[in-house]
Amino acid sequence: MPTYTAPIKDLQFVLHDVLNISGSDIPGYEDLEADFTAAILKEAGKISSEVLAPLNVVGDTEGCRLENGVVYTPTGFKAAFEQVKDGHWTGLDMPEEFGGQNMPAVIGSAVGEMFSGANQAFTMYQGLTHGAASAILAHGTDEQKAKWLPKMVSCEWTGTMNLTEPHCGTDLGLMRTKAEPQGDGTYKISGQKIFISAGDHDMADNIVHLVLAKIPGGPEGIKGVSLFIVPKFKVDEDGNIGARNGVSVGNIEKKMGIHGNSTCVLNYDEAEGYLLGEEHKGMRAMFTMMNEARLGVGMQGLSQAAAAYENAVAYAKDRLQGRDVTGAKNPDGPADPLIVHPDIRRSLMDQKSFIEGARAFILWGATMIDAAHRKGDKDADGLVSLLTPVIKGFLTDEGYDMTVKAQQVYGGHGYIEEHGMSQFTRDARIAMIYEGANGVQALDLVGRKLAQDGGKHVMAFFELVKSFAKENAGQNEAFDRDFLAPLKAASKDLQAAGMYFMQSGMKNPNDALSGSNDFMHLFGHVCLGLMWAQMARAAQAALDTGTSDVAFYETKLMTGRYYMARRLPITATHLARIQSGSDTVMGLDAANF
Ligand SMILES: Cc1cc2nc3c(=O)[nH]c(=O)nc-3n(C[C@H](O)[C@H](O)[C@H](O)COP(=O)(O)OP(=O)(O)OC[C@H]3O[C@@H](n4cnc5c(N)ncnc54)[C@H](O)[C@@H]3O)c2cc1C
């Protein structure tokens, strides 16, 4: 069975050595001294390794089951959910006013990576609830907040998001679910939603569905969509649970991975719903939830890669096959361990350098969310909004690839279920699809985010890279050569791609969209290059000032050098592909495929 070890030391390195969070002026960060964050991460790590990880395979093999309209979660999930609730983990970064701990998002993200790495399917129950609660927090009336939030923050009641219908997932303007106003402030919701994560289960007393639906007579298409709170059980004025509402489970989907999470078909039959936010402004309200969820999904890419890597490393050190080409490393044994082979090393270094770079990227993103929410920093808000599709799309595409690489280290034993490696691959796969498939993330990045606010945010990103390079140049020859030079080259590729879109994409949108996936990946690599340059600078500083942990910091430098030398140069290929335009992509008549 796979193991899960929480990456506490690595998280602490990013939080304190790289991001220097306790020195930040973001309100709430002043308490985040290293001792304090270590205590939180240690506790979260313990529950991840000891409670959630052992249930990961159980969830995968047992799955959820539907019996007489009731969904049952796998053995042990309910008791573990109680433990997570009792530890107040569900409201870690929610306001105290509603029973939360009011921790910044950066701590929520660090803890989230561990929970998700230990058991993605399980963690989704609380993740979806968090997203639904955030939407109510941002768009609800005072009465709605008071009624729904305390129970959702504690996860006594969980939440879901209901967008998808059988005939529409990406193109939600085609939505058919209706919301008929009743004249008393309530609406009757009717229609079918499919693929609803955590849609029903036996771990909470009530489930608060956030449902997108159209009010008859409203604007056509996406502009006519509104968002509604639709509870599984109605709730009276005093917060008591009452009669069953008109929502039922039609089915639970059989699927490739995340078997421990119930993916439901939900049928709404004149269910009582309450408008959240304004009529016909449902997408705006839903985006509060989706933006948060997209960052959480990006983290799933990282977390599955990290969990798979941990096991691949252990296997590579243990499994004896072949001999080191430069001379036996285990002369007394029948063969050397896999880890002596350069090709296994390459794979493990790809994984390690991605994981640690992605971890820094996610936590940096979370500091921007904190700056936006806690300090009203509009620039941080704009930058994280630009980077959200990159975090979601790039980290989940790459995260999936890394789980495949980890599986490959096991050879045939990775394909056989016994070692649990295929579960990481199967679980990671969904992150590339839900919360907007990755092709649509790339479309959002190129079609919308690049030009947002007159291109201000992408210019701010380039400025950030430029000023980092300027501030840190000329102090250490090896750093300039190994980190700054490749970062500057990759950033130049990104700028050239942006320029191509401005010149060519304006004339022919197919030119821009044929390169959108490459652009998202190009951007992601530059972000990870920036993260590695920052981590290398921090590691070098620790080595220069003297540290008792020389091996840790030297390992950081070596891993960073690998990323800059072996992964980052792919930006040139992405640029060449982008600049080839759309002729070869769009040239064939559909009949000739
Ligand atoms: C396990 C699971 C859990 C899910 N959980 C939820 C949930 O909790 N709530 C919820 O509402 N939904 C959920 N979904 C649904 C998920 O979000 C959708 O499947 C996803 O958004 C894609 O929609 P679709 O499947 O209809 O694909 P389509 O929209 O039909 O898209 C098919 C493909 O075409 C591409 N495509 C579509 N339009 C364009 C375009 N204009 N340009 C370029 N490419 C395009 C897409 O990228 C995709 O690759 C879940 C799905 C699964 C499988």
Side-chain angles (χ1 to χ4, degrees), residues 161 163-164 169-170 195-197 255 430 433-435 437 440 443:
M161 57 191 284
L163 296 84
T164 309
T170 303
F195 301 166
I196 305 307
S197 297
K255 55 193 191 289
I430 186 57
I433 299 170
Y434 57 20
E435 291 308 332
V440 175
L443 189 72

Side-chain angles (χ1 to χ4, degrees), residues 124 128 159-172 193-199 210 212 253 255-258 261-264 286 289-290 294 392 430-441 443 513 516:
M124 284 171 67
L128 267 301
T160 68
M161 57 191 284
N162 291 234
L163 296 84
T164 309
E165 299 183 7
H167 57 283
C168 72
T170 303
D171 190 356
L172 292 168
K193 297 288 180 180
I194 62 165
F195 301 166
I196 305 307
S197 297
L210 293 197
L212 283 178
E253 306 289 358
K255 55 193 191 289
M256 176 177 173
I258 55 165
N261 196 270
S262 55
T263 309
C264 297
M286 192 53 120
M289 188 165 171
M290 276 162 54
R294 283 176 178 176
K392 196 284 182 181
I430 186 57
M432 299 158 76
I433 299 170
Y434 57 20
E435 291 308 332
N438 284 357
V440 175
Q441 299 299 324
L443 189 72
L513 298 186
S516 58

Side-chain angles (χ1 to χ4, degrees), residues 309-344:
Y309 166 75
E310 170 184 339
N311 290 280
V313 169
Y315 192 78
K317 288 180 180 172
D318 187 55
R319 171 84 168 167
L320 303 181
Q321 288 295 294
R323 284 291 184 198
D324 186 329
V325 283
T326 62
K329 288 287 180 303
N330 178 32
D332 299 333
D336 285 338
L338 288 175
I339 200 159
V340 302
H341 303 305
D343 192 57
I344 292 284

